[in-house]
Amino acid sequence: MDSRRNFLQTISASILALSIPRYGFASLEDFNSQPYEGPVLRVAIMGLGSYGTRVAEAMQACKMAKLVGVISGTPSKIKNWQSKYNIPEKNCYNYKNFDFIKDNPDIDAVYVITPNALHHDQVIRVAKAGKHVICEKPMALNAKEGQEMIEACKKANVKLLVGYRMHFEPKTLEIIRMRNEGELGKIMFFQGLCGFKIGDPTQWRLNKQLAGGGSLMDIGIYAINGARYMIGEEPVWVTAQETKTNPEKFKEGVDETIQFQFGFPGGAVASCLSSYNMSNLDRFFLTAEKGFAELQPSTGYGPIRGRTNKGELNHSHVTHQTVQMEKMAGIILANESARVPVNGEEALKDLKIIDAIYLAVKTGKKINLKL
């Protein structure tokens, strides 16, 4: 699975193709031919690791969003980013002093791309500084933290968005359109498979205190969120089972593999798997009375490949993070809306489900959900 863990590809301008219309996508030539003279969202990235780098690179093709600042605990990274992205010294902060962004009128929003356990406090601090927040998923370690983050942003009158890049992916949106318009008929079943073999056993994603769990808190959230937007309903119950074959690598509280099942009010069921010890798992499959839809790969950086009972989905590949940041700029600056929400309330639903999955694993019981 091509995931955010490894920054292995160079983003090419030839694949940075998107257009200003809310849900439309065009060629690079069409995009470049459309001048933009409106407001620009000025963004500081917090956390300059591999995924922060990927977002920064993708933002170079944005018209409505611009990278203007950095927040990091590593001075050498700050210096490198200053040079590479022409970031002024006054827009550079560390984790101790970034509250002072409140006095910086040149930063509109902060994109928090740090280990899961840090999101809660960092997002609240950004909100108190009066800046809009984009937070990587999962938004928090649990639903309680997520609710506190939402309330803090509302109190500060700033927007809270979450990095659900797949909510803007064209093949995904086409399947959602087909479902919404009744082309697939009654939805019966969804399968979501997310897995890869994780490497370095000392990395933060295998540290319970920083990650909050294991594979479920990293890639499992794709299947959780995908089941919801592919079926178009909220689950009403969940069951789950954990499998651990390597307790040395996957210590207490760090899940290696979790299987989980959902039931939906319309009668559909979902069967999903999240694993840090199985490769070649990146597939969504939806079956319905009139047809089916499949994405494989379904959530990697692309290109996403899809087909339905009507044939292949041939939408042009676009760089996910470029589109995400462009659309989020529209949400923050112009109060636009996303076809599939990317706000804190959307992320809170996933956190409630994650809490329930872990409870189902612990108790062996079916857990009822009220989202």
Side-chain angles (χ1 to χ4, degrees):
M1 174 181 176
D2 183 7
S3 68
R4 73 184 186 190
R5 282 139 299 276
N6 298 304
F7 185 56
L8 298 177
Q9 67 181 40
T10 300
I11 297 178
S12 169
S14 65
I15 64 174
L16 297 177
L18 69 157
S19 66
I20 294 303
R22 186 174 299 173
Y23 300 121
F25 297 88
S27 67
L28 181 63
E29 290 77 13
D30 289 340
F31 175 57
N32 288 336
S33 69
Q34 299 179 25
Y36 177 73
E37 297 179 353
V40 173
L41 184 71
R42 298 165 299 177
V43 179
I45 290 180
M46 179 186 297
L48 310 184
S50 62
Y51 194 69
T53 301
R54 183 178 288 274
V55 172
E57 290 293 296
M59 285 184 67
Q60 303 312 297
C62 288
K63 293 184 176 183
M64 296 177 65
K66 181 181 180 181
L67 174 63
V68 300
V70 294
I71 303 170
S72 174
T74 307
S76 60
K77 287 185 178 181
I78 292 177
K79 290 297 182 184
N80 290 339
W81 280 53
Q82 278 189 270
S83 174
K84 185 172 184 179
Y85 300 112
N86 194 29
I87 296 172
E89 182 69 30
K90 67 182 181 64
N91 291 354
C92 297
Y93 300 87
N94 59 47
Y95 294 132
K96 293 182 179 180
N97 69 11
F98 74 81
D99 306 273
F100 289 109
I101 60 172
K102 69 179 184 295
D103 302 318
N104 191 333
D106 295 332
I107 295 175
D108 303 312
V110 175
Y111 194 161
V112 177
I113 310 177
T114 54
N116 304 338
L118 305 182
H119 293 176
H120 173 267
D121 291 353
Q122 290 172 340
V123 165
I124 291 175
R125 286 173 65 186
V126 171
K128 287 182 177 179
K131 306 299 181 180
H132 300 293
V133 192
I134 303 170
C135 182
E136 244 326 288
K137 58 192 179 303
M139 183 172 72
L141 295 185
N142 52 57
K144 179 180 180 295
E145 284 192 356
Q147 185 63 53
E148 292 171 354
M149 294 159 72
I150 291 171
E151 291 172 358
C153 290
K154 286 183 177 178
K155 183 177 180 180
N157 196 30
V158 299
K159 285 187 169 66
L160 171 59
L161 305 180
V162 181
Y164 288 112
R165 58 188 168 83
M166 303 312 300
H167 292 197
F168 306 106
E169 197 282 316
K171 296 181 179 71
T172 301
L173 290 177
E174 173 60 14
I175 293 172
I176 292 172
R177 182 202 65 77
M178 292 177 65
R179 185 206 67 222
N180 286 343
E181 296 185 7
E183 295 179 22
L184 296 173
K186 180 180 173 63
I187 307 300
M188 308 297 291
F189 174 75
F190 171 81
Q191 181 187 53
L193 304 177
C194 301
F196 72 102
K197 288 192 174 183
I198 198 166
D200 181 9
T202 66
Q203 64 180 281
W204 72 262
R205 291 181 180 85
L206 297 179
N207 181 322
K208 175 67 161 60
Q209 282 65 45
L210 288 175
S215 68
L216 189 69
M217 295 295 289
D218 183 10
I219 53 172
I221 195 169
Y222 285 105
I224 293 170
N225 193 249
R228 296 174 52 230
Y229 63 65
M230 293 285 278
I231 290 176
E233 295 180 349
E234 302 297 357
V236 294
W237 58 258
V238 60
T239 55
Q241 307 81 38
E242 180 179 5
T243 301
K244 185 171 292 191
T245 65
N246 188 345
E248 289 298 317
K249 186 173 186 177
F250 305 100
K251 301 186 185 306
E252 182 68 25
V254 178
D255 46 283
E256 173 187 328
T257 299
I258 290 185
Q259 300 174 74
F260 51 96
Q261 303 80 37
F262 297 141
F264 293 83
V269 292
S271 177
C272 303
L273 183 144
S274 170
S275 180
Y276 267 164
N277 200 33
M278 302 181 193
S279 297
N280 306 309
L281 294 177
D282 186 7
R283 179 177 184 261
F284 286 176
F285 182 78
L286 187 74
T287 189
E289 286 185 331
K290 296 181 182 178
F292 73 90
E294 180 184 44
L295 294 170
Q296 186 176 14
S298 57
T299 63
Y301 292 143
I304 301 301
R305 302 192 184 280
R307 65 188 182 105
T308 73
N309 53 290
K310 295 185 176 182
E312 297 290 325
L313 298 176
N314 296 315
H315 303 72
S316 298
H317 171 65
V318 294
T319 299
H320 299 169
Q321 295 80 5
T322 303
V323 182
Q324 173 193 320
M325 296 307 296
E326 199 81 342
K327 300 300 183 182
M328 286 185 168
I331 293 171
I332 291 173
L333 296 173
N335 205 31
E336 294 183 2
S337 60
R339 190 184 304 183
V340 183
V342 292
N343 54 27
E345 287 78 8
E346 170 76 5
L348 180 61
K349 293 177 181 179
D350 285 340
L351 293 174
K352 289 179 178 179
I353 294 172
I354 288 173
D355 288 350
I357 290 173
Y358 282 133
L359 181 60
V361 167
K362 182 178 180 179
T363 64
K365 296 179 179 180
K366 177 188 287 188
I367 307 300
N368 292 323
L369 294 167
K370 292 183 179 180
L371 305 181

